[in-house]
């Protein structure tokens, strides 16, 4: 920012600055703006540029711009990784919705009023604990000799080997993002006009009809918002697929991680993958803004 | 209300609460398990807690994480609050663009932020250290604080500030004496959220740490990947208790904020 003009001795700081209308906004918005510009916007433009340098590796000279890195993504092996990432995201979003909706419904409409806030906080409390340690806890549970198989053995069921499979990734992702789903659905269900439910019941609708014809249509924007948010988060999650999924569960975040911190150091290709991920997320956000209930998201 | 019959939604919800707390309880129970291989119960023991508190590497990682989170949150609290006030109080050309930029850290995936920061730091040849982690953490910390403060600002009565100005306060005085005290619960809640996110961050730290620092999530991640170490269970319990305390504080602050708002 420009330095203040040379001070006249008599004027106080406030008097000198008061007439300058631009100074308020600049002091308020300048520092954070500069920070975000330099450490977020500029770097993102930089990876866009680097993604256009084919075959760029750290410490090696490269020649000219081109779409080589993006063409590399089209190889079947990488398309499979992207497909798997989307599969994980879609599957765990549906699981979260299926498990989360009844919980949010009960919390918003059926739980005792006095305890409602406390019950909601109790449900999302695990979000405050380390995501890394929660994923690690599931490795303890799902290991061949873990808690889950001990439980199965006591009821006489055959042991399952779920660790390092897609099943473990689905469990881990659903577990990690269920609280977000419940939180956003709760905010949406809380605003439900219950008089409409009563009216529907008075007019002879059975509970099932009430639910599908009154509750669901009213909460559809909330459902869309919650689902897209969970989809975005699960699409790019790193910790759960790495700790629970094993070698066969490579997803886009792990692939990007390997390009930068792994032995290949293929920064150009990694940047192109990042740009594809950013594009996918932007697309989901655009859908959210179009169909979702924005207020529900910001309030939650 | 108390005589309501047990319905299937309430049963299902109870099951989901069990699902949410099951892994945490497992960690807690195994942290007291004497057996090295946590499958069977080898008797009650505090040996993993003793191991934890004599593990220099783990403690120094914790110290790194606390330093990063504290410094990043402290600076972000100021910048994020100023940004929230600026966005609420001023109209200017390009405001939509600025607001969009302020939401970016919440939307862009961690891995992409991490990659971008690393590429940027490499291109300007800044050596990686504790400082670069703090700088990178500030990006998402200030965005989250700004969002929480903004939502509180929306519910405030703008008349109080105008009244202060009418009574002869300068803009700066009105900000410090009238607006900030009202915003305090929002700022505090935002700080607690940002603190927890910073303590939990693995990706952005991994990309900006270099060899200069070793925050806790990186240390935990490498230990968990190389093989299960039972003292991680003990560490989990300590950290979970710590974050439960922060969560409780955040909830209390919110409650206190709502109440003071009602009084006005």
């Amino acid at each position: 920012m420009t330095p203040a003009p040379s001070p006249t001795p008599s004027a106080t700081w406030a008097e000198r600055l008061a007439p300058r209308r631009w100074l308020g906004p600049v002091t308020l918005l300048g520092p954070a703006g500069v920070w975000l510009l330099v450490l977020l916007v500029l770097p993102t433009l930089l990876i866009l540029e680097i993604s256009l340098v084919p075959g760029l590796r750290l410490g090696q000279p490269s020649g000219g711009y081109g779409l080589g890195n993006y063409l590399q993504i089209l190889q079947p092996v990488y398309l499979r990784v992207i497909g798997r990432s989307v599969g994980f995201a879609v599957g765990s979003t549906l699981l979260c919705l299926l498990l989360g909706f009844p919980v949010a419904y009960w919390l918003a409409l059926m739980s005792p009023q006095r305890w409602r806030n406390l019950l909601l906080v109790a449900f999302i409390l695990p979000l405050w604990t380390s995501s890394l340690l929660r994923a690690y806890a599931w490795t303890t549970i799902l290991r061949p000799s873990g808690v889950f198989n001990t439980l199965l053995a006591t009821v006489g069921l055959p042991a399952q080997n779920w660790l390092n499979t897609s099943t473990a990734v689905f469990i881990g992702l659903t577990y990690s993002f269920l609280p977000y789903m419940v939180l956003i659905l709760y905010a949406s269900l809380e605003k439900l006009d219950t008089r409409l439910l009563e009216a529907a019941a008075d007019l002879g609708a059975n509970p099932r009809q009430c639910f599908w014809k009154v509750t669901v249509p009213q909460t559809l924007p909330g459902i869309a918002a919650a689902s897209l948010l969970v989809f975005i988060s699960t699409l790019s999650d790193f910790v759960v697929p790495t700790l629970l999924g094993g070698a066969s569960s490579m997803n886009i975040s792990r692939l990007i991680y390997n390009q930068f911190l792994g032995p290949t150091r293929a920064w150009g290709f990694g940047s192109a993958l990042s740009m594809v991920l950013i594009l996918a997320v932007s697309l989901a956000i655009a859908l959210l803004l179009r169909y979702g209930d924005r207020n529900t998201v910001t309030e939650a | 209300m108390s005589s309501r019959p047990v319905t299937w939604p309430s049963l299902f919800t109870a099951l989901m609460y069990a699902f949410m707390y099951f892994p945490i309880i497992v960690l807690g129970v195994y942290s007291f398990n004497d057996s090295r291989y946590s499958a069977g119960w080898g008797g009650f023991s505090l040996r993993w807690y003793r191991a934890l508190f004599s593990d220099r590497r783990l403690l120094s990682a914790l110290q790194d994480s606390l330093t990063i989170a504290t410094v990043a949150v402290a600076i972000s609290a100021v910048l994020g609050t100023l940004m929230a006030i600026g966005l609420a109080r001023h109209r200017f050309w390009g405001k939509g663009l600025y607001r969009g930029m302020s939401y970016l850290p919440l939307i862009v995936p961690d891995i992409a932020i991490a990659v971008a920061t690393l590429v940027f730091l490499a291109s300007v040849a800044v050596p990686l250290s504790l400082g670069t982690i703090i700088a990178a953490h500030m990006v998402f910390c200030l965005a989250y604080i700004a969002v929480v403060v903004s939502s509180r600002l929306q519910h405030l009565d703008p008349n109080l500030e105008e009244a202060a100005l009418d009574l002869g306060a300068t803009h700066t005085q009105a900000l410090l004496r009238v607006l900030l005290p009202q915003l305090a619960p929002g700022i505090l809640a935002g700080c607690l959220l940002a603190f927890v996110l910073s303590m939990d961050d693995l990706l952005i730290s991994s990309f900006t740490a270099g060899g200069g620092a070793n925050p806790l999530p990186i240390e935990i991640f490498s230990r968990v990947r190389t093989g299960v170490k039972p003292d991680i269970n003990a560490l989990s319990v300590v950290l979970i208790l710590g974050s439960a305390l922060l969560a409780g504080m955040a909830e209390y602050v919110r409650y206190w904020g709502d109440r003071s708002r009602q009084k006005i």
Side-chain angles (χ1 to χ4, degrees), chain A residues 29 110 119 122 131 136 175, chain B residues 4 17 20-21 39 98 200 233:
Chain A
L29 296 165
M110 299 167 81
L119 283 165
S131 56
Y136 161 70
Y175 176 76
Chain B
R4 193 181 288 174
Y17 273 91
M20 290 317 296
Y21 284 93
Y98 187 103
D200 190 33
N233 291 332

Side-chain angles (χ1 to χ4, degrees), chain A residues 13-14 24-25 27-33 35-44 46-47 50 98-99 102-103 106-107 110 112-113 119-123 125-126 128-134 136-138 140-141 143 145 147 150-151 171 175 178-179 232 236 238-239 242-243 253 256-257 260-261 267 271 274 277-278 281 285, chain B residues 1 4 7-10 12-13 16-17 19-24 26-27 30 38-39 79 82-83 85-87 90 92 98 101-102 104-105 107-109 111-113 115-120 122-123 135 138-139 142 170 172 192-193 196 200 202-203 206-207 217 220-221 224-225 228-229 232-233 236 239-240 243 246-247 250-251:
Chain A
W13 181 79
T27 19
L28 290 172
L29 296 165
W35 205 264
L36 291 176
L37 215 57
V38 170
L39 275 153
L40 187 68
V41 177
L42 206 67
T44 307
L46 206 62
I47 56 169
I50 282 190
L98 224 60
L99 300 178
V103 176
W106 184 83
L107 279 170
M110 299 167 81
Q113 197 105 40
L119 283 165
L120 180 68
V121 170
F123 198 83
L125 195 63
W128 285 77
T129 63
S130 159
S131 56
L132 202 54
L133 290 175
R134 279 183 289 143
Y136 161 70
W138 278 105
T140 313
I141 295 167
R143 258 182 306 140
S145 61
V147 181
T150 315
L151 287 178
I171 294 175
Y175 176 76
L178 186 58
I232 291 166
S236 61
F238 174 80
V239 168
T242 313
L243 293 188
S253 276
I256 296 173
Y257 183 94
F260 283 89
L261 302 186
W267 283 29
S271 297
S274 305
L277 181 59
I278 291 176
V281 168
I285 293 287
Chain B
M1 186 173 288
R4 193 181 288 174
T7 54
W8 79 263
S10 59
F12 183 82
T13 306
M16 284 298 110
Y17 273 91
F19 176 58
M20 290 317 296
Y21 284 93
F22 179 56
I24 295 171
V26 166
L27 284 182
Y30 278 116
S38 7
L79 301 193
L82 290 179
M83 178 160 84
I85 298 173
L87 278 171
H90 293 287
F92 54 92
Y98 187 103
M101 181 177 78
S102 75
L104 275 182
I107 297 165
V108 177
I111 182 84
I113 298 181
V115 163
T117 317
L118 173 64
V119 168
F120 172 73
S123 77
M138 276 175 58
V139 167
L142 73 86
T170 63
T172 315
L192 289 169
L193 177 67
V196 168
D200 190 33
L202 171 70
L203 282 176
S206 296
F207 278 72
I220 294 174
F221 184 65
V224 169
R225 280 189 99 184
V228 178
K229 301 277 186 295
I232 292 288
N233 291 332
S236 312
L239 285 180
I240 285 168
S243 41
L246 288 182
E251 248 343 278

Side-chain angles (χ1 to χ4, degrees), chain B residues 89 149 151-161 178-180 182-183 261 264:
Chain B
R89 293 287 183 269
V149 173
S151 84
R152 186 162 170 88
L153 259 172
Q154 276 182 353
H155 299 289
L156 287 186
D157 183 359
N159 293 329
L160 283 172
E161 221 183 321
V178 180
L179 195 56
L180 273 188
Q182 292 184 82
L183 285 181
R261 196 147 70 203
I264 290 168

Side-chain angles (χ1 to χ4, degrees), chain A:
Chain A
M1 267 138 291
T2 43
S6 61
T8 41
S10 60
T12 67
W13 181 79
E15 277 168 33
R16 261 189 295 121
L17 299 186
R20 298 178 190 276
R21 297 184 57 86
W22 52 267
L23 207 95
V26 166
T27 19
L28 290 172
L29 296 165
V34 167
W35 205 264
L36 291 176
L37 215 57
V38 170
L39 275 153
L40 187 68
V41 177
L42 206 67
T44 307
L45 294 176
L46 206 62
I47 56 169
L48 175 63
E49 190 207 334
I50 282 190
S51 74
L52 293 169
V53 182
L56 177 73
R57 277 167 207 283
L58 183 60
Q60 281 178 18
S62 61
Y65 292 106
L67 287 174
N69 291 321
Y70 290 93
L71 293 176
Q72 196 182 343
I73 296 174
L74 296 178
Q75 287 174 16
V77 56
Y78 298 123
L79 286 181
R80 264 203 297 280
V81 171
I82 292 175
R84 192 181 297 125
S85 310
V86 174
F88 283 151
V90 171
S92 46
T93 302
L94 287 177
L95 277 170
C96 279
L97 184 60
L98 224 60
L99 300 178
F101 195 92
V103 176
Y105 189 88
W106 184 83
L107 279 170
L109 299 169
M110 299 167 81
S111 65
Q113 197 105 40
R114 272 188 67 190
W115 302 106
R116 194 160 289 175
N117 275 331
L118 206 65
L119 283 165
L120 180 68
V121 170
F123 198 83
I124 57 173
L125 195 63
L127 277 185
W128 285 77
T129 63
S130 159
S131 56
L132 202 54
L133 290 175
R134 279 183 289 143
Y136 161 70
W138 278 105
T139 66
T140 313
I141 295 167
L142 296 176
R143 258 182 306 140
S145 61
V147 181
F148 181 60
N149 278 334
T150 315
L151 287 178
L152 284 183
T154 45
V155 267
L157 287 168
Q160 303 291 327
N161 194 1
W162 281 353
L163 189 60
N164 296 333
T165 66
S166 308
T167 312
V169 177
F170 281 120
I171 294 175
L173 287 177
T174 305
Y175 176 76
S176 294
F177 295 99
L178 186 58
Y180 291 104
M181 179 65 86
V182 168
L183 190 63
I184 299 171
L185 287 180
Y186 174 87
S188 175
L189 281 162
E190 202 193 11
K191 288 183 290 193
L192 189 72
D193 190 347
T194 47
R195 284 173 309 177
L196 290 177
L197 289 175
E198 285 158 21
D202 285 347
L203 294 171
N206 61 36
R208 181 186 292 254
Q209 286 170 322
C210 281
F211 179 76
W212 287 109
K213 298 243 157 105
V214 181
T215 310
V216 170
Q218 275 196 77
T219 43
L220 214 50
I223 294 173
S227 301
L228 278 165
L229 225 80
V230 172
F231 176 82
I232 291 166
S233 319
T234 47
L235 183 69
S236 61
D237 193 62
F238 174 80
V239 168
V240 168
T242 313
L243 293 188
L244 296 172
S248 62
S249 300
M250 177 67 72
N251 77 339
I252 188 158
S253 276
R254 291 176 70 186
L255 187 60
I256 296 173
Y257 183 94
N258 290 349
Q259 302 312 312
F260 283 89
L261 302 186
T264 55
R265 304 275 149 152
W267 283 29
F269 181 52
S271 297
L273 285 168
S274 305
M275 291 313 298
V276 169
L277 181 59
I278 291 176
L279 196 72
V281 168
S282 310
L283 210 70
I285 293 287
L287 285 174
L288 174 67
L289 295 181
R290 179 84 178 73
Y291 297 105
D293 180 356
R294 265 184 284 177
N295 292 331
T296 313
V297 178
T298 46
E299 276 165 30

